[in-house]
Amino acid sequence: MSPPTQDPQRLRKKRIEAGLNQRELAAAVGVSTAHMSLLERGLRGASPRVLKRFTGPLNCQLEDLMPPETNAVEADEAGAV
């Protein structure tokens, strides 16, 4: 099982904002409904090519589906005790 490359919560949020259910979005991007569910639950990662196919139906940029970047300073501060 591949780790998620996308942010599952962002993917789901964008789908809901677009007014699509999982079945409709899966059909629009050419993946199975089961795979769509796995992507949204973070149990599977989508390849960059598949993620790019989501941008049209979701009317978003690829970056909108990715995990937020952590600032190096914030990461150091979070690790410091």
Side-chain angles (χ1 to χ4, degrees), residues 6-21:
Q6 71 288 342
D7 183 321
Q9 290 81 22
R10 286 181 169 194
L11 179 59
R12 182 174 189 271
K13 181 181 179 208
K14 287 292 183 184
R15 175 182 58 79
I16 292 169
E17 287 174 356
L20 301 169
N21 63 38

Side-chain angles (χ1 to χ4, degrees), residues 12-72:
R12 182 174 189 271
K13 181 181 179 208
K14 287 292 183 184
R15 175 182 58 79
I16 292 169
E17 287 174 356
L20 301 169
N21 63 38
Q22 284 187 346
R23 183 172 301 186
E24 292 166 335
L25 182 56
V29 299
V31 299
S32 70
T33 305
H35 190 69
M36 184 71 234
S37 175
L38 292 170
L39 293 174
E40 282 194 3
R41 291 185 288 148
L43 298 176
R44 289 284 165 95
S47 70
R49 187 177 71 190
V50 170
L51 278 178
K52 181 70 176 160
R53 294 193 321 231
F54 280 98
T55 61
L58 296 179
N59 193 30
C60 68
Q61 301 295 314
L62 189 59
E63 296 80 25
D64 297 330
L65 303 176
M66 303 304 290
E69 290 188 33
T70 304
N71 183 318

